[in-house]
Coordinates of all heavy atoms in Angstrom, one line a residue:
N1 N 85.6 168.2 91.3 CA 84.9 167.6 90.2 C 85.5 168.0 88.9 O 86.0 169.0 88.7 CB 83.4 168.0 90.3 CG 82.7 167.5 91.5 OD1 83.2 166.5 92.1 ND2 81.7 168.2 91.9
R2 N 85.3 167.1 87.9 CA 85.9 167.3 86.6 C 84.9 167.0 85.5 O 84.3 166.0 85.6 CB 87.2 166.4 86.5 CG 87.9 166.5 85.2 CD 89.1 165.5 85.2 NE 89.5 165.3 83.9 CZ 90.5 164.5 83.5 NH1 91.1 163.8 84.4 NH2 90.8 164.4 82.3
I3 N 84.9 167.8 84.4 CA 84.1 167.5 83.3 C 85.0 166.9 82.2 O 86.0 167.5 81.9 CB 83.3 168.7 82.8 CG1 82.4 169.2 83.9 CG2 82.6 168.4 81.5 CD1 81.7 170.5 83.6
Y4 N 84.6 165.8 81.6 CA 85.5 165.1 80.6 C 84.6 164.6 79.5 O 83.7 163.9 79.7 CB 86.2 163.9 81.3 CG 87.1 163.1 80.4 CD1 88.3 163.7 79.9 CD2 86.7 161.9 79.9 CE1 89.1 162.9 79.0 CE2 87.5 161.2 79.1 CZ 88.7 161.7 78.6 OH 89.5 161.0 77.8
Q5 N 84.8 165.2 78.3 CA 84.0 164.8 77.1 C 82.5 164.9 77.4 O 81.7 164.1 77.0 CB 84.4 163.4 76.7 CG 85.8 163.2 76.2 CD 86.1 161.8 75.7 OE1 85.3 160.9 75.9 NE2 87.2 161.7 75.0
G6 N 82.1 166.0 78.0 CA 80.7 166.3 78.2 C 80.0 165.5 79.3 O 78.8 165.6 79.5
Q7 N 80.8 164.6 80.0 CA 80.2 163.8 81.0 C 80.7 164.2 82.4 O 81.9 164.6 82.5 CB 80.4 162.3 80.8 CG 79.8 161.8 79.6 CD 80.1 160.3 79.4 OE1 80.7 159.7 80.2 NE2 79.6 159.7 78.3
F8 N 79.9 164.2 83.4 CA 80.3 164.5 84.8 C 81.0 163.3 85.4 O 80.5 162.2 85.4 CB 79.0 164.9 85.6 CG 79.4 165.3 87.0 CD1 79.9 166.5 87.3 CD2 79.1 164.4 88.0 CE1 80.2 166.9 88.6 CE2 79.4 164.8 89.3 CZ 79.9 166.0 89.6
Q9 N 82.2 163.5 85.9 CA 83.0 162.5 86.5 C 83.5 163.0 87.9 O 83.7 164.2 88.0 CB 84.2 162.1 85.7 CG 83.8 161.4 84.4 CD 85.0 160.9 83.7 OE1 86.1 161.1 84.1 NE2 84.8 160.2 82.6
Y10 N 83.7 162.2 88.8 CA 84.3 162.6 90.1 C 85.4 161.6 90.5 O 85.5 160.5 90.0 CB 83.2 162.7 91.2 CG 82.7 161.3 91.6 CD1 83.3 160.6 92.7 CD2 81.7 160.7 91.0 CE1 82.9 159.4 93.1 CE2 81.2 159.4 91.4 CZ 81.8 158.8 92.4 OH 81.4 157.6 92.8
Y11 N 86.2 162.1 91.4 CA 87.3 161.3 92.0 C 87.1 161.3 93.5 O 86.8 162.3 94.1 CB 88.7 161.9 91.7 CG 89.0 162.1 90.2 CD1 88.7 163.3 89.6 CD2 89.5 161.1 89.5 CE1 89.0 163.5 88.3 CE2 89.8 161.2 88.2 CZ 89.6 162.4 87.6 OH 89.9 162.6 86.2
D12 N 87.2 160.1 94.1 CA 87.1 160.1 95.6 C 88.5 160.1 96.2 O 89.5 160.1 95.5 CB 86.2 158.9 96.0 CG 86.8 157.5 95.8 OD1 88.0 157.5 95.4 OD2 86.1 156.5 95.9
A13 N 88.5 160.0 97.5 CA 89.8 160.1 98.2 C 90.7 158.9 97.9 O 91.9 158.9 98.2 CB 89.6 160.2 99.7
F14 N 90.1 157.8 97.4 CA 90.9 156.6 97.1 C 91.4 156.4 95.7 O 91.9 155.4 95.3 CB 90.1 155.4 97.6 CG 89.7 155.4 99.0 CD1 88.4 155.7 99.4 CD2 90.6 155.1 100.0 CE1 88.0 155.8 100.7 CE2 90.3 155.2 101.3 CZ 89.0 155.5 101.7
G15 N 91.2 157.5 94.9 CA 91.6 157.4 93.5 C 90.7 156.7 92.6 O 91.1 156.3 91.5
H16 N 89.4 156.5 93.0 CA 88.4 155.9 92.1 C 87.7 156.9 91.3 O 87.2 157.9 91.8 CB 87.4 155.1 92.9 CG 88.1 154.1 93.8 ND1 88.7 152.9 93.3 CD2 88.2 154.0 95.1 CE1 89.1 152.2 94.3 NE2 88.9 152.8 95.4
R17 N 87.6 156.7 90.0 CA 86.8 157.6 89.1 C 85.5 157.1 88.9 O 85.2 155.9 89.0 CB 87.5 157.7 87.8 CG 88.8 158.6 87.8 CD 89.5 158.7 86.5 NE 88.8 158.6 85.3 CZ 89.3 158.8 84.1 NH1 90.5 159.3 84.0 NH2 88.5 158.7 83.0
S18 N 84.5 158.0 88.6 CA 83.2 157.6 88.4 C 83.0 156.7 87.2 O 82.0 155.9 87.1 CB 82.2 158.8 88.3 OG 82.6 159.6 87.2
D19 N 83.9 156.7 86.2 CA 83.8 155.9 85.0 C 84.5 154.5 85.2 O 84.7 153.7 84.3 CB 84.3 156.6 83.8 CG 85.8 156.9 83.9 OD1 86.4 156.6 84.9 OD2 86.3 157.5 82.9
G20 N 85.0 154.2 86.4 CA 85.7 153.0 86.7 C 87.2 152.9 86.4 O 87.8 151.9 86.7
K21 N 87.7 154.0 85.9 CA 89.2 154.0 85.6 C 89.9 154.6 86.8 O 89.8 155.8 87.1 CB 89.5 154.8 84.4 CG 88.9 154.2 83.1 CD 89.2 155.1 81.9 CE 88.6 154.5 80.7 NZ 88.8 155.4 79.5
D22 N 90.6 153.8 87.6 CA 91.2 154.3 88.8 C 92.6 154.9 88.5 O 93.2 154.6 87.4 CB 91.4 153.1 89.8 CG 90.1 152.6 90.3 OD1 89.0 153.3 90.1 OD2 90.0 151.5 90.8
F23 N 93.1 155.7 89.4 CA 94.4 156.2 89.3 C 95.2 156.1 90.6 O 94.6 155.8 91.6 CB 94.4 157.7 88.9 CG 93.8 158.6 89.9 CD1 94.6 159.3 90.8 CD2 92.4 158.8 89.9 CE1 94.1 160.1 91.7 CE2 91.9 159.7 90.9 CZ 92.7 160.3 91.8
K24 N 96.5 156.2 90.5 CA 97.4 156.1 91.7 C 98.2 157.4 91.8 O 98.7 157.9 90.8 CB 98.2 154.9 91.7 CG 97.5 153.6 91.7 CD 98.4 152.4 91.7 CE 97.5 151.2 91.7 NZ 98.3 150.0 91.7
I25 N 98.5 157.8 93.0 CA 99.4 158.9 93.3 C 100.5 158.3 94.2 O 100.2 157.8 95.3 CB 98.8 160.1 93.9 CG1 97.7 160.7 92.9 CG2 99.8 161.2 94.3 CD1 96.9 161.8 93.5
Y26 N 101.8 158.5 93.8 CA 102.9 158.1 94.6 C 103.6 159.3 95.1 O 103.9 160.2 94.3 CB 103.9 157.2 93.8 CG 103.3 155.9 93.4 CD1 102.8 155.7 92.2 CD2 103.4 154.8 94.3 CE1 102.3 154.4 91.8 CE2 102.9 153.6 94.0 CZ 102.3 153.4 92.7 OH 101.8 152.2 92.3
L27 N 103.8 159.5 96.4 CA 104.6 160.6 97.0 C 105.9 160.0 97.5 O 105.9 159.1 98.3 CB 103.8 161.2 98.1 CG 102.4 161.8 97.7 CD1 101.7 162.2 99.0 CD2 102.6 162.9 96.7
I28 N 107.0 160.6 97.0 CA 108.3 160.1 97.4 C 109.0 161.3 98.1 O 109.1 162.4 97.5 CB 109.1 159.6 96.2 CG1 108.4 158.6 95.4 CG2 110.5 159.2 96.6 CD1 108.9 158.3 94.0
S29 N 109.5 161.0 99.3 CA 110.2 162.1 100.0 C 111.6 161.6 100.5 O 111.8 160.4 100.5 CB 109.4 162.5 101.2 OG 109.3 161.5 102.2
G30 N 112.4 162.5 100.8 CA 113.8 162.1 101.2 C 114.7 163.3 101.1 O 114.3 164.4 100.7
K31 N 115.9 163.1 101.6 CA 116.9 164.2 101.6 C 117.3 164.5 100.1 O 117.2 163.6 99.2 CB 118.1 163.8 102.4 CG 117.8 163.7 103.9 CD 119.0 163.3 104.7 CE 118.7 163.3 106.2 NZ 119.9 163.0 106.9
A32 N 117.9 165.6 100.0 CA 118.5 166.0 98.7 C 119.5 165.0 98.2 O 120.3 164.5 99.0 CB 119.1 167.4 98.7
R33 N 119.4 164.7 96.9 CA 120.4 163.8 96.2 C 120.4 162.4 96.8 O 121.5 161.8 96.9 CB 121.8 164.4 96.3 CG 121.9 165.9 95.9 CD 122.7 166.4 94.8 NE 123.5 165.5 94.1 CZ 123.4 165.2 92.8 NH1 122.5 165.8 92.1 NH2 124.3 164.4 92.2
H34 N 119.3 161.9 97.1 CA 119.2 160.5 97.6 C 118.3 159.6 96.7 O 117.9 158.6 97.2 CB 118.6 160.5 99.1 CG 119.7 160.8 100.1 ND1 120.2 162.0 100.3 CD2 120.3 159.9 101.0 CE1 121.1 161.9 101.3 NE2 121.2 160.7 101.7
G35 N 118.1 160.0 95.5 CA 117.4 159.1 94.5 C 115.9 159.2 94.4 O 115.3 158.3 93.8
K36 N 115.3 160.3 94.8 CA 113.9 160.4 94.7 C 113.4 160.5 93.2 O 112.5 159.8 92.8 CB 113.4 161.7 95.4 CG 113.6 161.7 96.9 CD 113.1 163.0 97.5 CE 113.9 164.2 97.1 NZ 115.3 164.2 97.5
T37 N 114.1 161.3 92.4 CA 113.8 161.4 91.0 C 114.1 160.1 90.3 O 113.3 159.6 89.4 CB 114.6 162.5 90.3 OG1 114.2 163.7 91.0 CG2 114.2 162.7 88.9
T38 N 115.2 159.4 90.6 CA 115.5 158.2 90.0 C 114.5 157.1 90.3 O 114.0 156.4 89.4 CB 116.9 157.7 90.5 OG1 117.9 158.7 90.3 CG2 117.3 156.4 89.9
L39 N 114.0 157.0 91.5 CA 112.9 156.1 91.9 C 111.7 156.4 91.1 O 111.0 155.6 90.6 CB 112.7 156.1 93.4 CG 111.5 155.2 93.9 CD1 111.8 153.8 93.5 CD2 111.4 155.4 95.4
G40 N 111.3 157.7 91.0 CA 110.2 158.2 90.2 C 110.3 157.8 88.8 O 109.3 157.3 88.2
D41 N 111.5 157.9 88.2 CA 111.7 157.5 86.8 C 111.5 156.0 86.6 O 110.9 155.6 85.6 CB 113.1 157.9 86.4 CG 113.3 159.4 86.2 OD1 112.3 160.1 86.0 OD2 114.4 159.8 86.2
Y42 N 111.9 155.2 87.6 CA 111.7 153.7 87.5 C 110.2 153.4 87.6 O 109.7 152.5 86.8 CB 112.4 153.0 88.7 CG 113.9 153.0 88.5 CD1 114.8 153.1 89.7 CD2 114.6 152.8 87.3 CE1 116.1 153.0 89.6 CE2 115.9 152.8 87.2 CZ 116.7 152.9 88.3 OH 118.1 152.9 88.2
I43 N 109.5 154.0 88.5 CA 108.0 153.8 88.6 C 107.3 154.2 87.3 O 106.5 153.5 86.8 CB 107.5 154.5 89.8 CG1 108.0 153.9 91.1 CG2 105.9 154.5 89.8 CD1 107.7 154.7 92.4
K44 N 107.7 155.4 86.8 CA 107.1 155.8 85.6 C 107.4 154.9 84.4 O 106.5 154.5 83.6 CB 107.6 157.2 85.2 CG 107.0 157.8 84.0 CD 107.6 159.2 83.7 CE 106.9 159.8 82.5 NZ 107.6 160.9 81.9
E45 N 108.6 154.4 84.3 CA 109.0 153.5 83.2 C 108.2 152.2 83.3 O 107.7 151.6 82.3 CB 110.5 153.2 83.3 CG 111.0 152.3 82.2 CD 112.4 152.0 82.2 OE1 113.2 152.9 82.8 OE2 112.9 151.0 81.7
Y46 N 108.0 151.7 84.6 CA 107.3 150.5 84.8 C 105.8 150.6 84.3 O 105.3 149.7 83.6 CB 107.3 150.2 86.3 CG 106.4 149.0 86.7 CD1 106.8 147.7 86.5 CD2 105.1 149.2 87.2 CE1 106.0 146.6 86.9 CE2 104.3 148.2 87.6 CZ 104.7 146.9 87.4 OH 103.9 145.9 87.8
Y47 N 105.2 151.7 84.6 CA 103.8 151.9 84.2 C 103.6 152.2 82.8 O 102.6 151.8 82.1 CB 103.1 152.9 85.1 CG 102.7 152.3 86.5 CD1 103.4 152.6 87.6 CD2 101.6 151.4 86.6 CE1 103.0 152.1 88.8 CE2 101.2 150.9 87.8 CZ 102.0 151.2 88.9 OH 101.6 150.6 90.1
E48 N 104.6 152.9 82.2 CA 104.5 153.2 80.8 C 104.7 151.9 79.9 O 104.1 151.8 78.9 CB 105.5 154.3 80.4 CG 105.1 155.6 80.8 CD 106.2 156.7 80.5 OE1 107.4 156.4 80.3 OE2 105.8 157.9 80.5
Q49 N 105.5 151.0 80.4 CA 105.6 149.7 79.7 C 104.4 148.9 79.7 O 104.1 148.1 78.9 CB 106.8 148.9 80.3 CG 108.1 149.5 80.0 CD 109.3 148.7 80.7 OE1 109.0 147.8 81.5 NE2 110.5 149.0 80.3
K50 N 103.5 149.2 80.7 CA 102.2 148.5 80.8 C 101.1 149.3 80.1 O 100.0 149.0 80.2 CB 101.8 148.4 82.3 CG 102.6 147.4 83.1 CD 102.2 147.3 84.5 CE 102.7 146.1 85.1 NZ 101.7 145.1 85.4
G51 N 101.5 150.4 79.4 CA 100.6 151.2 78.6 C 99.8 152.2 79.4 O 98.8 152.7 78.9
K52 N 100.3 152.6 80.6 CA 99.6 153.6 81.4 C 100.2 154.9 81.2 O 101.4 155.1 80.8 CB 99.8 153.2 82.9 CG 99.3 151.8 83.3 CD 97.8 151.8 83.2 CE 97.3 150.4 83.7 NZ 95.8 150.3 83.7
K53 N 99.4 156.0 81.4 CA 99.9 157.3 81.3 C 100.5 157.7 82.7 O 99.9 157.4 83.7 CB 98.8 158.3 81.0 CG 98.2 158.1 79.6 CD 97.1 159.1 79.3 CE 96.5 158.8 78.0 NZ 95.3 159.7 77.7
C54 N 101.6 158.5 82.7 CA 102.3 158.8 83.9 C 102.7 160.3 83.8 O 103.1 160.8 82.8 CB 103.5 158.0 84.2 SG 103.1 156.3 84.3
I55 N 102.7 160.9 85.0 CA 103.2 162.3 85.1 C 104.1 162.3 86.3 O 103.8 161.8 87.4 CB 102.0 163.3 85.4 CG1 101.1 163.3 84.2 CG2 102.6 164.7 85.7 CD1 99.8 164.1 84.4
L56 N 105.3 162.9 86.1 CA 106.3 163.0 87.2 C 106.5 164.4 87.4 O 106.9 165.2 86.5 CB 107.6 162.2 86.7 CG 108.7 162.1 87.7 CD1 108.3 161.3 89.0 CD2 109.9 161.5 87.1
T57 N 106.3 164.9 88.6 CA 106.6 166.3 89.0 C 107.2 166.4 90.4 O 107.2 165.4 91.1 CB 105.3 167.1 89.0 OG1 105.6 168.5 89.1 CG2 104.3 166.7 90.0
S58 N 107.8 167.5 90.6 CA 108.5 167.7 91.9 C 107.7 168.6 92.8 O 107.3 169.7 92.4 CB 109.9 168.3 91.6 OG 110.5 168.8 92.8
Y59 N 107.4 168.2 94.0 CA 106.6 169.0 94.9 C 107.4 170.3 95.3 O 106.9 171.3 95.4 CB 106.3 168.2 96.2 CG 105.7 168.9 97.3 CD1 104.4 169.3 97.2 CD2 106.4 169.3 98.4 CE1 103.7 170.0 98.2 CE2 105.8 170.0 99.4 CZ 104.5 170.4 99.3 OH 103.9 171.1 100.3
A60 N 108.7 170.1 95.4 CA 109.6 171.2 95.8 C 109.6 172.3 94.8 O 109.9 173.5 95.1 CB 111.0 170.8 96.2
K61 N 109.3 172.0 93.5 CA 109.3 173.0 92.5 C 108.4 174.2 92.8 O 108.8 175.3 92.6 CB 108.9 172.3 91.2 CG 108.7 173.2 90.0 CD 108.3 172.5 88.7 CE 107.1 171.6 88.8 NZ 106.8 171.0 87.5
Y62 N 107.2 173.9 93.3 CA 106.3 174.9 93.6 C 106.7 175.8 94.8 O 106.5 177.0 94.8 CB 104.9 174.3 93.8 CG 104.5 173.5 92.6 CD1 104.5 172.2 92.5 CD2 104.1 174.2 91.4 CE1 104.2 171.5 91.4 CE2 103.8 173.5 90.2 CZ 103.8 172.1 90.3 OH 103.5 171.5 89.1
I63 N 107.3 175.1 95.8 CA 107.8 175.9 96.9 C 108.9 176.8 96.5 O 109.0 178.0 96.9 CB 108.3 174.9 98.0 CG1 107.1 174.1 98.6 CG2 109.0 175.6 99.2 CD1 107.4 173.0 99.5
K64 N 109.8 176.3 95.7 CA 111.0 177.1 95.2 C 110.5 178.3 94.3 O 111.0 179.4 94.5 CB 111.9 176.3 94.4 CG 112.7 175.3 95.2 CD 113.6 174.4 94.4 CE 114.2 173.3 95.2 NZ 115.0 172.3 94.4
M65 N 109.4 178.0 93.5 CA 108.9 179.1 92.7 C 108.3 180.2 93.6 O 108.5 181.4 93.3 CB 107.9 178.6 91.7 CG 108.5 177.8 90.5 SD 107.3 177.0 89.4 CE 105.7 177.7 89.6
Y66 N 107.6 179.8 94.6 CA 106.9 180.8 95.5 C 108.0 181.5 96.3 O 107.9 182.8 96.4 CB 106.0 180.0 96.5 CG 105.4 180.9 97.5 CD1 104.3 181.7 97.1 CD2 105.8 181.0 98.8 CE1 103.7 182.6 98.0 CE2 105.2 181.8 99.7 CZ 104.2 182.6 99.3 OH 103.6 183.4 100.2
A67 N 109.1 180.8 96.7 CA 110.1 181.5 97.5 C 110.9 182.5 96.6 O 111.2 183.7 97.0 CB 111.1 180.5 98.0
M68 N 111.1 182.2 95.3 CA 111.8 183.1 94.4 C 110.9 184.3 94.1 O 111.3 185.5 94.1 CB 112.1 182.5 93.1 CG 113.2 181.4 93.2 SD 114.7 182.0 93.9 CE 115.3 183.1 92.5
K69 N 109.6 184.1 94.0 CA 108.6 185.2 93.8 C 108.6 186.1 95.0 O 108.6 187.4 94.8 CB 107.2 184.6 93.5 CG 106.2 185.7 93.2 CD 104.9 185.1 92.9 CE 103.8 186.1 92.5 NZ 102.5 185.5 92.2
M70 N 108.6 185.6 96.2 CA 108.6 186.4 97.4 C 109.9 187.2 97.6 O 109.9 188.3 98.0 CB 108.3 185.5 98.6 CG 106.9 184.9 98.7 SD 105.6 186.1 98.4 CE 105.7 187.2 99.8
K71 N 111.0 186.5 97.2 CA 112.3 187.2 97.3 C 112.3 188.4 96.3 O 112.8 189.5 96.6 CB 113.4 186.2 96.9 CG 114.8 186.8 97.0 CD 115.8 185.7 96.7 CE 117.2 186.3 96.7 NZ 118.2 185.3 96.4
Y72 N 111.8 188.2 95.1 CA 111.7 189.3 94.1 C 110.8 190.4 94.6 O 111.2 191.6 94.5 CB 111.2 188.7 92.8 CG 111.0 189.8 91.7 CD1 112.0 190.4 91.1 CD2 109.7 190.3 91.5 CE1 111.8 191.4 90.2 CE2 109.5 191.3 90.6 CZ 110.5 191.9 89.9 OH 110.3 192.9 89.0
I73 N 109.7 190.1 95.2 CA 108.8 191.1 95.7 C 109.5 191.9 96.8 O 109.4 193.1 96.8 CB 107.5 190.5 96.2 CG1 106.7 190.0 95.0 CG2 106.6 191.5 97.0 CD1 105.5 189.2 95.4
Q74 N 110.1 191.2 97.7 CA 110.8 191.9 98.8 C 111.9 192.8 98.3 O 112.2 193.9 98.8 CB 111.3 190.9 99.8 CG 110.2 190.3 100.6 CD 110.7 189.2 101.6 OE1 111.9 188.8 101.5 NE2 109.9 188.6 102.4
K75 N 112.7 192.3 97.3 CA 113.8 193.0 96.7 C 113.3 194.3 96.0 O 113.9 195.3 96.2 CB 114.6 192.1 95.7 CG 116.0 192.3 95.7 CD 116.7 191.4 94.8 CE 118.0 191.0 95.4 NZ 118.8 190.2 94.5
S76 N 112.2 194.2 95.3 CA 111.6 195.3 94.6 C 111.1 196.4 95.6 O 111.2 197.6 95.3 CB 110.6 194.9 93.6 OG 109.4 194.4 94.3
R77 N 110.6 196.0 96.7 CA 110.1 196.9 97.7 C 111.2 197.7 98.4 O 111.1 198.8 98.8 CB 109.3 196.2 98.8 CG 107.9 195.8 98.2 CD 107.1 195.1 99.3 NE 105.8 194.7 98.8 CZ 105.0 193.9 99.5 NH1 105.3 193.4 100.6 NH2 103.8 193.6 99.0
E78 N 112.4 197.0 98.5 CA 113.5 197.7 99.1 C 114.0 198.9 98.3 O 114.5 199.8 98.8 CB 114.7 196.7 99.3 CG 114.4 195.6 100.4 CD 115.5 194.6 100.4 OE1 116.5 194.7 99.6 OE2 115.3 193.6 101.2
N79 N 113.8 198.8 97.0 CA 114.3 199.9 96.1 C 113.4 201.0 96.0 O 113.7 202.0 95.4 CB 114.6 199.3 94.7 CG 115.7 198.2 94.8 OD1 116.6 198.3 95.6 ND2 115.7 197.3 93.9
K80 N 112.2 200.9 96.5 CA 111.2 202.0 96.4 C 111.2 202.9 97.6 O 111.5 202.4 98.7 CB 109.8 201.4 96.2 CG 109.6 200.7 94.9 CD 108.2 200.2 94.7 CE 108.1 199.5 93.3 NZ 106.7 199.1 93.1
Y81 N 110.9 204.1 97.4 CA 110.8 205.1 98.5 C 109.3 205.2 98.9 O 108.4 205.3 98.1 CB 111.3 206.4 98.0 CG 112.7 206.4 97.7 CD1 113.1 206.4 96.4 CD2 113.7 206.4 98.7 CE1 114.4 206.4 96.0 CE2 115.0 206.3 98.3 CZ 115.4 206.4 97.0 OH 116.7 206.3 96.6
F82 N 109.1 205.1 100.2 CA 107.7 205.2 100.7 C 107.5 206.5 101.4 O 108.3 207.1 102.0 CB 107.4 204.0 101.7 CG 107.4 202.7 101.0 CD1 108.4 201.8 101.1 CD2 106.3 202.3 100.3 CE1 108.4 200.6 100.4 CE2 106.2 201.1 99.7 CZ 107.3 200.2 99.7

């Protein structure tokens, strides 16, 4: 649930908002260096030309951040004496 400008709004599983403004989520997957970001950029440009707001993010970004954090934690534990 989300509060927006003092009013209660909700989103259902189909991207419908309680105020009637719907949204879409596009998930693009594929192998590395096969054009996922390029396709995302094309989709974003298309909707921005129609006056829509768009956000482009990488799902793998969060997995990589978590992996780096875990690697740092493991590395720091190796240097400590127990």
Side-chain angles (χ1 to χ4, degrees):
N1 293 338
R2 177 180 165 184
I3 297 174
Y4 179 72
Q5 293 181 348
Q7 295 182 2
F8 182 75
Q9 293 184 359
Y10 72 92
Y11 303 93
D12 68 11
F14 301 103
H16 303 292
R17 286 179 26 170
S18 60
D19 63 357
K21 296 179 182 177
D22 297 342
F23 66 93
K24 294 181 182 181
I25 297 175
Y26 292 95
L27 302 174
I28 303 167
S29 66
K31 294 182 178 182
R33 314 239 356 119
H34 276 76
K36 297 178 297 293
T37 302
T38 303
L39 177 59
D41 288 337
Y42 288 144
I43 294 170
K44 183 179 181 196
E45 183 180 334
Y46 172 80
Y47 281 105
E48 286 178 341
Q49 287 177 355
K50 291 180 163 248
K52 305 287 184 182
K53 295 179 185 177
C54 299
I55 297 171
L56 184 63
T57 188
S58 170
Y59 174 74
K61 170 175 60 175
Y62 302 104
I63 296 172
K64 291 175 185 176
M65 286 175 17
Y66 179 75
M68 292 301 291
K69 184 177 181 180
M70 293 309 296
K71 182 178 177 182
Y72 173 76
I73 290 170
Q74 288 175 354
K75 217 175 212 185
S76 66
R77 286 183 181 166
E78 290 173 2
N79 295 331
K80 293 185 178 182
Y81 296 104
F82 293 100

